[in-house]
Amino acid sequence: IDIPHITIKSICCIGAGYVGGPTCAVIAHKNPHIKVTIVDLNAARIAAWNSDELPIYEPGLDEVVKSTRGRNLFFSTDVDAGILEADLIFVSVNTPTKIKGIGAGFAADLGYVESATRKIAEVAKSDKIVVEKSTVPCRTAQSMRYILEANAKPDIHFDILSNPEFLAEGTAISDLFYPDRVLIGSLDTERGRSAAASLADVYAGWVARDQIITMNLWSSELSKLAANALLAQRISSINALSAICEATGADIDEVSYACGLDTRIGPKFLKASVGFGGSCFQKDILNLVYLSESLHLPEVATYWKQVVEMNEYQKRRFTNRVISCLFNTLTGKKIAVFGFAFKKDTGDTRESPAITLVNYFREEKAYISIFDPKVEESQVWMDLTEPGVVDETEAVKKQVSIAADPYEAAAGADAIVICTEWNDFRETVLDYERIYASMKKPAFIFDGRLILDAKKVSQIGFKVETIGRPRTT
Ligand code: NAD
């Protein structure tokens, strides 16, 4: 960008999570002349980033980290040193939904953003460009500016930018290598534009200039919430249609295909499922709902809230179908749950629909055996218990077990419920004849992700129930 600006030589990223880790590893990989230090308060996480077993699973991440770590990419718990050395600091900390107090269940908890920002103000001894990487409600950059300006040492200047991250878990590395766009929001001042130009140079290490979009701070912040809200809305829309398909004999895959051929609609993100999950969609829509309410726009809030309600309804609806096909009772029955991650190619279970389904099955007194190729066993116990409730895991273990493979999960089961669309569960990969032979009869499969060729699998003898298609039994 054609205005005077500094060249970034050293970057610090606060937060070594699903976003900070991969994003800044790619920045370091593509810009060998920039020193990138990713810092986190979580020592175990940093130790894992420095080991052979990275703390998160993403296709391609290992290669990027291992080829760059120790060259110009570093992971550390020394937050102060990272801040002191950097020209530019990404704030990539978690922004969960608030659990307690006013706005609980809706508003974003910005406590982590606040403490990271306070830390920058307290430690910095030279000018810094501070980049909001976390997803935050519109105008959070203003609050960060107040904190920075009110606490800065004399003669130190902070510039603030918004640079939301659009990567999707499971495809993070390819999303980062080939982004649809990079968004940089800045204040409409000379300093603001100059800071934006410095950050644009970092991305220009591998992203075409015309894909690096600059705009005002508030548009940039809102664009991230809007993009996630629109994506989740598409899923809830197709899921709402899947309910109509099941009741009428229409087939949701055919309906999606027909709609997707309209170039105004497009084919992507039109797959019906048991519901969306992940740490972002629900949180970001609820953020939008809260923002709308606080701006006295109740109709707008109601509109977006419905996207989340439809998602909850889809999980209940699918569970009811399982119960009703299994003769209206799950008591004492064994259900094999295939997949616990919120989507394929990740070990992340945050807001995974599988958690909700397993809890519903537990309420119905079923025995549940879970298999997921990437989710750690300890994570499953954490997800199925309330934090701090002593001995709850032991109670859960009376009803829930973790299987070493899909065959073990399905042995003796009354039904398989596919919760995650892992390729490992396709009939072209798994030996469903072997699975069928080991199950109770009639043996049911509930395909909550539309990954099976229902005809082929039912020829083996299975009763196949697919989301978005009418009942077969
Ligand atoms: P995460 O929980 O995996 O990582 C956040 C990390 O920040 C944690 O390791 C935590 O220990 C650390 N942290 C918190 N406060 C800190 C502090 N004061 N100093 C140092 N470290 C601190 O979260 P994530 O999934 O990486 O998400 C980060 C942000 O990015 C969120 O706002 C999220 O909404 C957004 N986002 C996430 C995704 C995604 O797919 N996960 C995609 C786009 C945007």
Side-chain angles (χ1 to χ4, degrees):
I1 299 177
D2 215 10
I3 52 171
H5 58 274
I6 63 157
T7 301
I8 303 299
K9 295 195 191 75
S10 176
I11 290 177
C12 170
C13 174
I14 305 181
Y18 287 89
V19 168
T23 306
C24 286
V26 167
I27 288 178
H29 183 73
K30 296 288 190 182
N31 291 289
H33 56 285
I34 301 179
K35 180 176 178 190
V36 178
T37 308
I38 306 178
V39 297
D40 204 296
L41 298 172
N42 182 334
R45 214 166 198 185
I46 290 297
W49 279 113
N50 280 322
S51 75
D52 282 341
E53 287 286 318
L54 300 186
I56 61 177
Y57 171 73
E58 274 296 336
L61 179 64
D62 256 43
E63 290 80 345
V64 170
V65 170
K66 289 176 186 165
S67 67
T68 318
R69 201 172 52 192
R71 182 189 75 179
N72 63 322
L73 173 65
F74 303 91
F75 295 92
S76 167
T77 50
D78 194 342
V79 179
D80 292 21
I83 292 171
L84 272 172
E85 194 181 357
D87 316 310
L88 182 146
I89 302 166
F90 284 107
V91 176
S92 186
V93 299
N94 32 332
T95 49
T97 306
K98 220 174 144 182
I99 335 180
K100 284 192 183 144
I102 292 173
F106 286 97
D109 179 350
L110 294 174
Y112 300 95
V113 173
E114 180 182 345
S115 51
T117 309
R118 285 187 184 278
K119 189 77 177 163
I120 296 169
E122 174 201 319
V123 170
K125 289 193 180 147
S126 57
D127 291 356
K128 309 281 173 199
I129 298 173
V130 178
V131 185
E132 207 182 51
K133 186 53 119 176
S134 298
T135 304
V136 288
C138 198
R139 294 198 78 82
T140 300
Q142 184 72 296
S143 313
M144 290 171 73
R145 263 183 82 201
Y146 289 152
I147 294 176
L148 291 168
E149 283 168 9
N151 294 287
K153 296 184 184 63
D155 300 327
I156 292 189
H157 199 98
F158 295 105
D159 290 294
I160 189 134
L161 298 174
S162 153
N163 172 223
E165 185 47 61
F166 292 102
L167 68 77
E169 285 176 36
T171 52
I173 297 301
S174 89
D175 293 343
L176 288 163
F177 275 18
Y178 312 103
D180 290 337
R181 76 303 206 186
V182 168
L183 213 60
I184 301 177
S186 70
L187 285 176
D188 196 12
T189 60
E190 207 172 307
R191 281 200 72 110
R193 284 189 294 274
S194 163
S198 294
L199 180 58
D201 276 357
V202 172
Y203 284 104
W206 78 100
V207 181
R209 286 277 178 186
D210 61 359
Q211 284 178 306
I212 304 173
I213 317 293
T214 50
M215 57 178 64
N216 88 38
L217 266 174
W218 329 120
S219 306
S220 172
E221 288 179 331
L222 188 57
S223 297
K224 173 63 195 178
L225 293 184
N228 270 357
L230 289 169
L231 289 169
Q233 182 202 40
R234 247 171 112 90
I235 299 179
S236 278
S237 298
I238 208 73
N239 282 344
L241 290 166
S242 76
I244 298 179
C245 289
E246 288 169 33
T248 56
D251 178 327
I252 195 65
D253 261 349
E254 293 180 349
V255 175
S256 299
Y257 177 64
C259 294
L261 288 174
D262 185 324
T263 50
R264 292 168 304 175
I265 299 171
K268 290 185 182 167
F269 245 68
L270 280 183
K271 192 97 181 152
S273 70
V274 65
F276 60 74
S279 66
C280 293
F281 282 177
Q282 174 164 318
K283 161 176 89 68
D284 293 350
I285 292 183
L286 292 178
N287 244 310
L288 209 53
V289 170
Y290 187 76
L291 192 65
S292 310
E293 278 174 356
S294 53
L295 297 170
H296 309 292
L297 301 167
E299 288 80 4
V300 180
T302 305
Y303 176 78
W304 288 112
K305 208 186 282 178
Q306 195 54 35
V307 172
V308 174
E309 280 171 15
M310 181 53 62
N311 198 47
E312 293 307 309
Y313 172 67
Q314 187 77 344
K315 291 181 264 186
R316 286 198 303 276
R317 212 171 63 73
F318 191 62
T319 305
N320 279 334
R321 185 162 167 186
V322 174
I323 297 171
S324 120
C325 288
L326 292 178
F327 319 103
N328 271 339
T329 175
L330 299 189
T331 305
K333 291 186 175 140
K334 179 178 171 186
I335 312 280
V337 168
F338 279 15
F340 202 71
F342 83 91
K343 65 194 261 198
K344 71 170 178 176
D345 293 337
T346 176
D348 194 355
T349 60
R350 291 179 290 180
E351 306 290 341
S352 175
I355 301 174
T356 314
L357 262 65
V358 168
N359 282 332
Y360 283 146
F361 297 154
R362 282 172 58 207
E363 274 172 39
E364 296 294 317
K365 301 193 169 55
Y367 292 105
I368 303 118
S369 183
I370 300 170
F371 171 73
D372 187 285
K374 282 286 174 231
V375 175
E376 304 275 340
E377 182 166 341
S378 56
Q379 185 62 50
V380 175
W381 303 132
M382 259 194 281
D383 289 335
L384 295 178
T385 49
E386 288 289 325
V389 181
V390 182
D391 290 340
E392 208 195 348
T393 309
E394 289 316 306
V396 175
K397 281 184 180 171
K398 289 194 177 120
Q399 254 182 298
V400 183
S401 60
I402 315 282
D405 58 46
Y407 302 103
E408 185 186 316
D414 297 83
I416 295 168
V417 177
I418 299 179
C419 290
T420 314
E421 71 280 24
W422 285 103
N423 284 339
D424 312 44
F425 303 146
R426 290 187 185 275
E427 75 285 347
T428 44
V429 179
L430 270 191
D431 182 350
Y432 275 100
E433 301 216 1
R434 178 180 158 195
I435 288 180
Y436 182 74
S438 77
M439 286 177 66
K440 273 216 188 113
K441 310 293 178 318
F444 285 84
I445 298 189
F446 297 89
D447 184 355
R449 291 286 183 172
L450 283 160
I451 60 165
L452 293 181
D453 182 332
K455 250 192 209 144
K456 278 196 188 142
V457 183
S458 52
Q459 273 161 9
I460 299 171
F462 281 106
K463 306 278 179 217
V464 185
E465 296 291 335
T466 310
I467 202 134
R469 289 189 203 141
R471 255 180 88 156
T472 59
T473 53

